[in-house]
Amino acid sequence: MLKIKDLEKIYRTEEVETVALNKVALEVKKGEFVAIMGPSGCGKSTLLNILGLIDNADTGSYLFDSEEVVGYNERQRAHLRKNNIGFVFQSFNLIDELTVFENVELPLLYVGVKAADRKKRVEEVLDKMQIMHRRNHFPQQLSGGQQQRVAVARAVVNNPKLILADEPTGNLDSANGNEVMQMLTDLNNAGTTVIMVTHSEHDARYSHRIIRMLDGQVVLENILS
């Protein structure tokens, strides 16, 4: 599904040049659950942003479903991203002024889904995530665990091929964190590819494969299942 080769990303200022990714090579097959681990500053988040088409690599190759995307402009990346990728963030990234229903509905508005279909799909996913009873609440009226349920619902409402999760349990207690990891596992078991950045060895064990990074490079891979 994803194949990257010799991927490089360098951040430059007038005084400093920082190599965020140094000739990274990686392949993720459809239906895999992959965890990416490593110390802060090792390039994990930069890699996730490039995989999610939020950012672009400087050089190298990134094939998304056999489509070369390195060099795409923002409009091209946005089109591919909104139709194929769902995001789950540590800080939830919900919009405070929108209700639970409206937050989850947002990705469907971006791709022009009709109102009746939007209502049906949002209600289905809220029910699946066991958060339907909070549909008219605002994010600040929810617990952290409930907010992350809404964030997962928003990520999957458009039936994406790929879920990218950036420290999805980082702001949660262990019980809510385990619930979120089980939700990601269930989505993966249903066929969705999941790539997760995490510092948690516990969370990483939910994956099929752990990729460990250091200084902008992949240094080790552990296959778990």
Side-chain angles (χ1 to χ4, degrees):
M1 182 180 185
L2 309 180
K3 187 174 183 179
I4 64 177
K5 183 179 180 182
D6 294 333
L7 212 66
E8 290 191 335
K9 183 68 177 180
I10 299 173
Y11 294 105
R12 294 180 175 89
T13 66
E14 290 183 0
E15 299 177 354
V16 179
E17 180 176 286
T18 303
V19 179
L21 297 177
N22 184 9
K23 294 191 178 298
V24 172
L26 174 66
E27 187 169 354
V28 178
K29 296 179 180 178
K30 182 179 179 181
E32 271 199 289
F33 188 157
V34 176
I36 301 174
M37 302 192 72
S40 296
C42 73
K44 303 186 303 296
S45 293
T46 298
L47 178 59
L48 203 71
N49 285 340
I50 291 173
L51 293 178
L53 305 172
I54 294 172
D55 202 355
N56 214 348
D58 294 325
T59 60
S61 172
Y62 172 20
L63 298 177
F64 186 98
D65 267 354
S66 302
E67 182 175 348
E68 179 60 69
V69 298
V70 169
Y72 270 16
N73 60 35
E74 171 53 27
R75 183 186 61 80
Q76 292 170 309
R77 294 200 309 272
H79 175 76
L80 195 60
R81 182 173 65 237
K82 69 185 180 182
N83 287 290
N84 294 281
I85 303 172
F87 296 88
V88 181
F89 301 96
Q90 175 178 348
S91 56
F92 317 134
N93 282 17
L94 301 176
I95 299 174
D96 288 340
E97 293 77 19
L98 299 182
T99 65
V100 164
F101 185 97
E102 291 166 341
N103 266 282
V104 176
E105 182 185 32
L106 208 54
L108 301 178
L109 288 168
Y110 291 148
V111 294
V113 176
K114 293 181 180 179
D117 290 337
R118 291 200 308 270
K119 182 175 184 295
K120 181 174 182 290
R121 286 164 65 171
V122 172
E123 288 177 348
E124 284 176 352
V125 76
L126 289 178
D127 188 53
K128 183 177 181 181
M129 297 298 161
Q130 300 178 6
I131 199 72
M132 176 68 89
H133 61 296
R134 299 289 191 181
R135 58 174 291 165
N136 294 320
H137 287 67
F138 292 92
Q140 292 182 343
Q141 296 174 301
L142 307 178
S143 69
Q146 289 170 334
Q147 289 187 59
Q148 195 62 296
R149 282 179 179 274
V150 177
V152 173
R154 181 187 57 191
V156 303
V157 71
N158 208 24
N159 298 316
K161 298 177 181 178
L162 173 66
I163 293 289
L164 297 178
D166 191 359
E167 299 284 357
T169 68
N171 286 335
L172 303 177
D173 59 34
S174 58
N176 281 308
N178 287 339
E179 284 190 10
V180 168
M181 290 310 304
Q182 189 58 55
M183 280 190 279
L184 291 175
T185 299
D186 291 344
L187 290 166
N188 177 246
N189 289 339
T192 305
T193 305
V194 178
I195 301 176
M196 173 182 67
V197 162
T198 182
H199 281 101
S200 168
E201 293 284 350
H202 172 269
D203 289 357
R205 287 196 292 271
Y206 282 86
S207 71
H208 304 148
R209 180 162 54 114
I210 301 175
I211 295 168
R212 299 185 187 272
M213 295 185 67
L214 184 67
D215 297 334
Q217 295 179 305
V218 173
V219 294
L220 185 66
E221 290 192 30
N222 303 116
I223 297 174
L224 302 181
S225 62

